[in-house]
Amino acid sequence: MSTPSTMVDCYDQLESCCDIAEAWPSNLFRSKCFRHTSQSYRKRIAEVQERLFDPNPEYALVEFLEAFHGENGFHSTKCSSLVDLNRHLRINRKDPICRHVFFEAEHSRAPLDCSKEMFVFSMSFLQVMAPFVDLLLGFGQSQNRKEFHYTSFRHENYLVASKVQNFEIPRLGRSGLEIKLCYNLWSVETSVGNNSAGSFRQTALYHSFDLRSGRSLWVNISVNAEMKNRITDAASSYEELTTEALVDIQGSFSASLTTHLVAFEWCSENWRQYITKLETTLRAIINKVQRAPVGKMESTLALDTKNLLKALKAPISSSQIVESNLVTSPDLVNPGSPASPFNSTRTFTRRSTLKSAVISPLNTRASTNLTATSMQSFPGSPVRRETFSPILGCPPESSTEKKGRRIHHDQDPFDMLKDISLEKLQELNGIGADLHTAGLVMKLDSDVLRDVMRHYQSLIEAEEFPANLKACRPVLAEFSRRATSIVRALEMEQTRIATLMLLFHDGRGLFEHVLQFRNLEQSKLFNASANISQQRMEEFTEQMHKSTLNMESVTESMHVIAQKTEKDTSSMHVITIVTLLFLPGTFVAVRLGLPTLIAHAFTTLLTYSQTFFGSGLFQWDEANLEMSFPIWKGEFFKLFAKICFPLMGATITIWCFVSYLSFWRECLRACWNRLRACWNRKKLADEEQGTTAMGVAEKELKLK
């Protein structure tokens, strides 16, 4: 630390602090933070510097708005590099009477448009207090909303003149007797043409005020140029902020309080429009739920429990017993005999499943095609309008009633609730979350505003506070009144949000009940549909059982027919073999009589010469009419045998040979087909192997 006799050393300490600006805030030569706290702040900045600062910003900018003694108006200076920043701050002149420093980002989730070196150098030269790091960490690049629930107010006061002499820097006009404070505020900003109600934005402010020279410093970090534009406009148009009002320390103090009000008013604007948009959307959704014809739908889908219980307690009718004839004997030769299976029967009993107890009025549920008309369209179906009418609580409809209710059948009762969907529930929950966030932000802003007012009130009541500034009590009272009105406005909006939250909770409860009612009714429909499908499946199963029994009877009949056909086939084989045996002999016997046919008359020889026994093997002696037995002619039989038997053998041999050739031809054909199939498979395998080899070769060429 320097001594009063060597005050210039404080400037040397400031120069040294700027030379090691990377160590900010641990490089500050005066701070009320503990050393380990400052070191922790430094480490936190190093950990998130890639998120906070743009390492290579295309348009780096640190803008200054300054007013000096003896000059009219504020002057704006823009520094786009560390060199420009160093040249501007280390100018050989005193600090301006009022200085605003602006750091901005492209949008709320983007890093600051400056490098870390530019930022820490500015903070080191201006000796910004270490707790300002907490507010800085709420900015930077992020995919999600950053710490909208975090606000803070911190201050450091140096009011004792005997303890601040060692920190004076006369070259810059800094007396060392000063107050420092920092805080951040949140607000909502609306944009034209945006579907959302608004976006939350924050601004961080650092302020120091020299209690001797009246010099004030403001450091502002924002995600856009809104706060800079407001302060610039107020500095040129508001009387208490112009350079003419900064001629004395009282004017500078009043200007500082007015600058606070610029930020206070910013955080209280647009809340009414934002909440109105949310309220409009909220009431639009809730009105649809409140006006939903739930009663009409409930009456449409009502269930007559009295008749339902009667239907459940009713005994099973005889129509639920199915009888079918079953074949018990394979003998179908004599269908009219007493032992025939056509005269024997077997009874098959099947008890139908009890109809579902949860069945809604199906005549109005056209969406699932479970109407009485659709049920009657299935002949033989056990589901009838007459069956369901006791359960539905309505009598069977006549043809006239059906015509009159045709339009009603085409109407889906669930169309009444088509606007009540999960998407709307998500939108409703999103509105509730936005309302809760808005209420929290306004409460935190109100707390910060109260902290600032209490801080200045405690300052002006302190004994160490300069007497010339205590004369500014009327100005502080006006500041407190305006700040209190802003706090009350925020509290009124919080009360409005509390009312809307009650409306939101009631509407969401009603919304969920309506969704549960709709889902319950749809579940009833599914149960009824499953019940009807089950009954139809049972009927179909019964019909399939009957068909199976009929097929069994037909199969047994075909089996009997096959057995008879097999017997007939055996007889045909015997006849064929006998024909082959006797055909050559018959042919030879006929041919032996043909020469005689030419010499004799046709009619006579047709009788005697065309038969086997008329060929002359047995002859009668015409001279001896008393012969009892004809004479055997053996030579004729030898001649017949020599011709007939070889011809018979040749015929049978040729038949066997042809049959043998046919058998081997089929065998050869089967072998050829098998060989050709094997050859085709081998050919395909070779082609695939060749294609694979070509692919591998191409890949190797590509790799090379």
Side-chain angles (χ1 to χ4, degrees):
M1 298 294 178
S2 60
T3 63
S5 60
T6 58
M7 289 186 227
V8 70
D9 292 341
C10 291
Y11 185 80
D12 294 339
Q13 291 184 17
L14 180 63
E15 290 287 339
S16 301
C17 181
C18 293
D19 292 339
I20 56 172
E22 289 288 334
W24 182 81
S26 61
N27 62 344
L28 297 175
F29 60 82
R30 183 170 66 168
S31 175
K32 289 190 175 183
C33 287
F34 296 106
R35 182 178 297 274
H36 66 271
T37 304
S38 299
Q39 293 291 343
S40 175
Y41 281 137
R42 177 185 176 183
K43 292 180 181 178
R44 290 172 64 186
I45 294 177
E47 291 173 357
V48 297
Q49 62 179 358
E50 295 182 357
R51 177 178 66 85
L52 289 176
F53 308 102
D54 193 347
N56 298 306
E58 297 180 0
Y59 182 69
L61 180 63
V62 178
E63 188 170 353
F64 294 86
L65 185 66
E66 300 169 329
F68 292 89
H69 277 301
E71 297 182 0
N72 294 326
F74 283 81
H75 303 280
S76 177
T77 304
K78 298 179 180 179
C79 300
S80 58
S81 66
L82 183 60
V83 176
D84 295 340
L85 192 62
N86 193 4
R87 185 185 302 114
H88 177 73
L89 292 177
R90 288 185 174 181
I91 190 172
N92 189 17
R93 64 185 300 179
K94 292 184 178 181
D95 290 340
I97 191 64
C98 182
R99 170 181 281 167
H100 294 274
V101 186
F102 300 102
F103 295 92
E104 299 177 6
E106 294 183 4
H107 50 82
S108 60
R109 299 178 184 177
L112 299 179
D113 288 335
C114 69
S115 62
K116 177 186 176 182
E117 292 76 12
M118 295 177 66
F119 184 84
V120 296
F121 178 81
S122 301
M123 299 297 104
S124 298
F125 183 84
L126 300 174
Q127 289 293 292
V128 177
M129 56 191 292
F132 190 62
V133 176
D134 287 329
L135 308 181
L136 171 66
L137 297 177
F139 295 86
Q141 186 176 8
S142 177
Q143 298 296 330
N144 301 315
R145 185 184 297 170
K146 300 184 292 295
E147 299 183 352
F148 66 89
H149 59 281
Y150 179 79
T151 56
S152 176
F153 171 76
R154 305 291 293 274
H155 64 86
E156 293 181 359
N157 299 326
Y158 303 96
L159 304 178
V160 181
S162 60
K163 296 182 179 180
V164 298
Q165 293 179 358
N166 297 334
F167 301 99
E168 291 186 59
I169 307 178
R171 184 184 302 184
L172 299 178
R174 302 180 186 179
S175 66
L177 190 67
E178 61 182 344
I179 59 174
K180 296 181 179 181
L181 58 92
C182 64
Y183 59 89
N184 68 326
L185 296 172
W186 287 83
S187 182
V188 63
E189 295 180 357
T190 58
S191 58
V192 180
N194 194 352
N195 294 329
S196 62
S199 302
F200 293 104
R201 300 287 185 264
Q202 70 164 325
T203 185
L205 290 171
Y206 167 81
H207 173 57
S208 66
F209 184 79
D210 195 302
L211 298 178
R212 285 182 180 174
S213 63
R215 287 179 170 82
S216 62
L217 170 66
W218 295 88
V219 178
N220 175 251
I221 303 177
S222 299
V223 297
N224 53 30
E226 180 65 23
M227 185 58 64
K228 180 186 70 175
N229 295 336
R230 287 172 180 257
I231 293 176
T232 303
D233 180 70
S236 61
S237 61
Y238 200 75
E239 182 179 358
E240 296 180 1
L241 295 179
T242 59
T243 55
E244 290 78 6
L246 304 177
V247 293
D248 55 7
I249 190 171
Q250 291 83 3
S252 297
F253 186 73
S254 177
S256 297
L257 296 179
T258 304
T259 305
H260 284 299
L261 292 175
V262 174
F264 291 179
E265 291 183 355
W266 170 81
C267 77
S268 64
E269 292 180 357
N270 299 323
W271 287 113
R272 180 178 180 182
Q273 295 83 350
Y274 176 77
I275 296 174
T276 299
K277 288 184 179 180
L278 293 180
E279 181 180 3
T280 302
T281 308
L282 176 63
R283 291 189 180 276
I285 297 176
I286 293 179
N287 287 339
K288 289 183 180 180
V289 180
Q290 291 177 344
R291 296 175 182 176
V294 180
K296 182 178 179 181
M297 182 177 179
E298 187 176 9
S299 61
T300 304
L301 301 176
L303 191 67
D304 191 348
T305 57
K306 182 178 179 181
N307 291 327
L308 175 60
L309 293 175
K310 291 182 179 179
L312 293 175
K313 295 179 180 179
I316 300 175
S317 61
S318 59
S319 60
Q320 294 174 332
I321 300 177
V322 181
E323 295 183 356
S324 58
N325 295 332
L326 301 178
V327 177
T328 58
S329 174
D331 188 11
L332 296 178
V333 178
N334 187 8
S337 63
S340 174
F342 295 102
N343 292 333
S344 63
T345 59
R346 185 173 63 187
T347 302
F348 176 80
T349 303
R350 184 182 183 90
R351 187 178 300 274
S352 300
T353 306
L354 186 64
K355 295 179 175 62
S356 176
V358 185
I359 301 177
S360 300
L362 305 178
N363 59 325
T364 61
R365 298 180 178 180
S367 60
T368 54
N369 295 325
L370 297 179
T371 62
T373 305
S374 64
M375 286 185 285
Q376 291 178 356
S377 62
F378 292 90
S381 174
V383 183
R384 293 289 186 268
R385 173 75 184 194
E386 294 77 5
T387 304
F388 279 94
S389 57
I391 301 175
L392 303 177
C394 54
E397 292 181 329
S398 62
S399 59
T400 305
E401 291 175 343
K402 291 178 181 178
K403 292 180 180 179
R405 293 174 60 88
R406 185 172 302 167
I407 299 177
H408 188 63
H409 285 170
D410 296 335
Q411 180 183 3
D412 185 3
F414 292 100
D415 286 340
M416 305 175 186
L417 305 179
K418 61 182 179 181
D419 294 332
I420 303 177
S421 60
L422 292 177
E423 182 180 0
K424 290 295 181 180
L425 182 59
Q426 289 179 339
E427 184 178 358
L428 186 64
N429 289 331
I431 295 173
D434 291 339
L435 287 173
H436 178 74
T437 302
L440 177 61
V441 169
M442 284 189 285
K443 181 182 181 302
L444 296 175
D445 285 346
S446 300
D447 294 339
V448 171
L449 267 58
R450 291 191 184 94
D451 290 339
V452 174
M453 288 189 293
R454 284 193 292 264
H455 174 67
Y456 277 100
Q457 191 66 35
S458 63
L459 283 176
I460 208 165
E461 297 293 339
E463 295 181 359
E464 299 85 359
F465 199 69
N468 56 349
L469 290 178
K470 286 187 177 182
C472 297
R473 289 179 183 272
V475 177
L476 181 59
E478 179 64 21
F479 167 77
S480 299
R481 283 193 295 268
R482 294 180 63 178
T484 302
S485 65
I486 295 174
V487 172
R488 288 178 179 176
L490 292 174
E491 290 176 348
M492 291 177 61
E493 296 298 337
Q494 293 179 56
T495 304
R496 185 181 174 192
I497 287 179
T499 304
L500 292 178
M501 288 300 295
L502 293 177
L503 179 63
F504 160 73
H505 288 298
D506 294 340
R508 186 176 64 176
L510 180 59
F511 201 109
E512 292 175 350
H513 281 86
V514 172
L515 284 179
Q516 291 176 1
F517 172 75
R518 187 187 66 179
N519 295 336
L520 179 61
E521 293 301 324
Q522 289 178 346
S523 299
K524 291 180 180 179
L525 278 181
F526 292 145
N527 291 335
S529 176
N531 179 265
I532 292 178
S533 299
Q534 180 183 1
Q535 292 176 356
R536 291 177 179 172
M537 184 58 66
E538 289 180 359
E539 182 182 3
F540 179 73
T541 304
E542 293 175 1
Q543 293 177 356
M544 289 297 297
H545 180 72
K546 293 180 181 180
S547 300
T548 303
L549 296 179
N550 294 333
M551 288 299 298
E552 183 180 355
S553 301
V554 173
T555 303
E556 293 180 357
S557 301
M558 293 298 296
H559 180 68
V560 174
I561 294 173
Q563 290 179 348
K564 296 175 65 177
T565 303
E566 183 179 0
K567 295 179 180 180
D568 295 340
T569 303
S570 300
S571 300
M572 291 299 297
H573 286 172
V574 173
I575 294 173
T576 301
I577 293 174
V578 171
T579 302
L580 288 176
L581 292 174
F582 286 93
L583 181 61
T586 304
F587 175 77
V588 172
V590 170
R591 295 300 300 169
L592 289 175
L594 285 179
T596 312
L597 181 62
I598 299 174
H600 299 279
F602 177 75
T603 55
T604 304
L605 293 179
L606 185 61
T607 302
Y608 297 101
S609 299
Q610 291 288 61
T611 61
F612 179 78
F613 294 101
S615 58
L617 295 179
F618 294 92
Q619 294 183 3
W620 295 89
D621 189 1
E622 296 179 354
N624 187 6
L625 298 175
E626 295 181 357
M627 292 180 61
S628 59
F629 192 81
I631 301 173
W632 167 252
K633 298 293 184 180
E635 60 276 13
F636 292 162
F637 180 76
K638 291 179 181 180
L639 178 62
F640 174 77
K642 289 179 181 179
I643 297 173
C644 178
F645 293 156
L647 185 59
M648 182 186 301
T651 301
I652 295 174
T653 302
I654 292 172
W655 177 73
C656 293
F657 180 73
V658 171
S659 299
Y660 182 78
L661 288 179
S662 299
F663 171 76
W664 281 106
R665 184 181 61 183
E666 294 297 330
C667 293
L668 291 175
R669 182 179 297 176
C671 294
W672 170 250
N673 291 336
R674 190 178 296 106
L675 290 174
R676 185 169 60 181
C678 293
W679 182 77
N680 290 335
R681 287 195 298 270
K682 184 178 180 181
K683 183 178 180 181
L684 291 175
D686 294 339
E687 291 178 355
E688 292 178 357
Q689 185 176 2
T691 304
T692 305
M694 291 177 63
V696 173
E698 291 178 357
K699 290 182 179 178
E700 292 179 354
L701 291 175
K702 289 181 179 179
L703 293 176
K704 291 180 180 180

